[in-house]
Amino acid sequence: MNPKETVKTIGSILLTKILFSPLGLVAAGIVLLLIVLPVFMSMASKGENFNLEDPDSNLSALSGAAGGAYCAPDGELNEALWNEQLASAGVFSGMGDVFREVAAERGIDPVLMAAIALHETARGTSSAVVNKNNPGGLMGADGLMVFDSLEAGIASMGLTLHNRIIQDGLVTIADLGSVYAPIGAGNDPTNLNAHWVPNVTKVVSSLGGLTMNCTTSTGEFAQPVPNVTVNSNYGVRIDPLTGVISNHAGVDFACSEPDLIYAAKEGRVVFAEYPTQSGLNTYGNVVVIEHENKLFSLYAHLSQIDVAVGQEVGQLEPVGECGTTGRSTGDHLHFEIHTGSLFGTRVNPMPYLEGEPEE
């Protein structure tokens, strides 16, 4: 038998074993999954108007996209917060204009770019950025890339983000997190990657909010969860735990741990704990903020509380993280508006969120 026939015979035997062996089918399925899954993930978040063949055309398509974070209130970069945060960010002090220029050149949000850099480098202090001028955890064939200057590193990071956002359509912070810090990755045994999205989102908030591809607020009270989906409305409903008719004193919004929960309006925190007293312990971890005109907003079932009683919070400042503590059937935010006093009269929150509060 000549070599060509030998190879053909061996190939035929292997193919037969793969197709007709349970272990072979499993192995083939794994290989197929490894090939198809990355392609599917890169396609899943793209809008209907996203064009892989002409990436430059995606700049206009992205203008209507809404990501998983809030916009700056006026849609513009908050100069005061921008300068304040970068001034105390290690080697990034004085580099604000560089971030802005690179972001403008690449058609991306400077706030998002700076937030990722701040998170990736422990606010400009990591060895990667101090010793290698690498601001974004950029990897090459030999590991972390080394740049001649910090300006060069920021420029390379801008190009990378342009490719991920404009070319690949990874518009939201969560989309980018699937590339920067994929959950379940083999090199992340302690699951630190699960914190990438909420931590970057927190840094975005500290910078005053995104200026592109974000969620805007329309009412006097902002939605406490971006891109909100209502799971259960205010009023009479069938209780999901007991199956009997009951009155729902708030609105349930869809979210997943550890999504950030935001203050619907500026005010002072007057309650922040897991209450043990009867009638309140069903809330789990709960935060209540007092606003002007004796209005109170309540945020329940939090997995984590990020504020303290007496603290003044601004609108859209994070107050905690989504969860399912207390009497709950799964991750969600229970949101209420009280009038008159703390835990006073519960009213329908939706008119306040939509800009038409009840009289």
Side-chain angles (χ1 to χ4, degrees):
M1 184 178 293
N2 61 46
K4 184 180 290 186
E5 291 178 344
T6 300
V7 171
K8 188 175 181 180
T9 300
I10 292 173
S12 177
I13 293 172
L14 289 174
L15 182 62
T16 300
K17 286 187 173 293
I18 289 174
L19 292 177
F20 296 99
S21 163
L23 289 177
L25 288 173
V26 170
I30 292 173
V31 171
L32 183 62
L33 186 62
L34 291 174
I35 294 173
V36 172
L37 186 59
V39 176
F40 174 79
M41 287 179 65
S42 69
M43 294 293 294
S45 62
K46 297 177 178 59
E48 294 179 1
N49 299 321
F50 209 83
N51 186 348
L52 279 176
E53 303 300 324
D54 183 14
D56 289 339
S57 69
N58 296 326
L59 286 170
S60 58
L62 285 171
S63 64
Y70 275 108
C71 302
D74 59 1
E76 301 293 332
L77 188 144
N78 186 315
E79 297 283 352
L81 289 177
W82 175 266
N83 293 330
E84 176 189 327
Q85 292 296 315
L86 289 179
S88 60
V91 298
F92 293 139
S93 178
M95 302 300 290
D97 287 344
V98 178
F99 277 110
R100 295 170 74 164
E101 290 165 7
V102 171
E105 178 185 357
R106 295 301 180 186
I108 59 179
D109 189 341
V111 173
L112 176 58
M113 182 180 178
I116 293 174
L118 290 169
H119 172 69
E120 287 287 329
T121 64
R123 299 188 62 82
T125 64
S126 71
S127 60
V129 71
V130 172
N131 301 322
K132 300 183 178 183
N133 292 315
N134 188 327
L138 304 176
M139 301 296 292
D142 300 320
L144 277 170
M145 298 174 69
V146 180
F147 299 94
D148 294 334
S149 67
L150 184 54
E151 289 85 352
I154 293 174
S156 182
M157 181 185 181
L159 175 60
T160 298
L161 284 175
H162 168 89
N163 292 341
R164 299 292 77 77
I165 297 170
I166 308 301
Q167 291 190 355
D168 296 344
L170 303 179
V171 177
T172 70
I173 295 174
D175 290 337
L176 289 168
S178 69
V179 172
Y180 264 90
I183 294 176
N187 62 352
D188 182 36
T190 58
N191 200 30
L192 289 176
N193 286 354
H195 301 286
W196 194 92
V197 170
N199 285 345
V200 169
T201 306
K202 285 182 180 179
V203 180
V204 164
S205 293
S206 74
L207 291 167
L210 296 175
T211 63
M212 299 170 62
N213 313 324
C214 46
T215 301
T216 57
S217 173
T218 57
E220 178 187 4
F221 282 70
Q223 296 171 351
V225 181
N227 302 323
V228 67
T229 298
V230 177
N231 282 347
S232 182
N233 283 304
Y234 173 87
V236 177
R237 67 169 185 174
I238 302 296
D239 189 294
L241 287 171
T242 65
V244 302
I245 295 176
S246 63
N247 185 59
H248 192 217
V251 176
D252 289 346
F253 294 133
C255 61
S256 299
E257 185 181 352
D259 291 350
L260 293 179
I261 303 301
Y262 298 88
K265 189 179 180 182
E266 68 277 3
R268 182 173 63 90
V269 178
V270 292
F271 196 93
E273 63 181 82
Y274 193 128
T276 57
Q277 54 267 53
S278 177
L280 297 180
N281 56 357
T282 59
Y283 283 117
N285 286 323
V286 60
V287 169
V288 183
I289 301 172
E290 181 177 5
H291 312 284
E292 59 184 359
N293 299 323
K294 284 297 179 182
L295 290 176
F296 299 79
S297 59
L298 175 146
Y299 314 77
H301 305 309
L302 305 177
S303 62
Q304 176 177 305
I305 294 174
D306 293 334
V307 292
V309 171
Q311 180 177 338
E312 298 288 338
V313 295
Q315 188 175 45
L316 298 183
E317 183 176 335
V319 299
E321 297 179 5
C322 177
T324 184
T325 56
R327 187 174 179 272
S328 169
T329 57
D331 286 355
H332 72 284
L333 171 70
H334 177 80
F335 178 76
E336 296 181 359
I337 292 288
H338 304 169
T339 62
S341 62
L342 176 65
F343 299 112
T345 302
R346 276 80 159 174
V347 296
N348 186 356
M350 295 309 293
Y352 290 85
L353 299 176
E354 295 164 355
E356 299 176 0
E358 296 176 340
E359 295 297 331

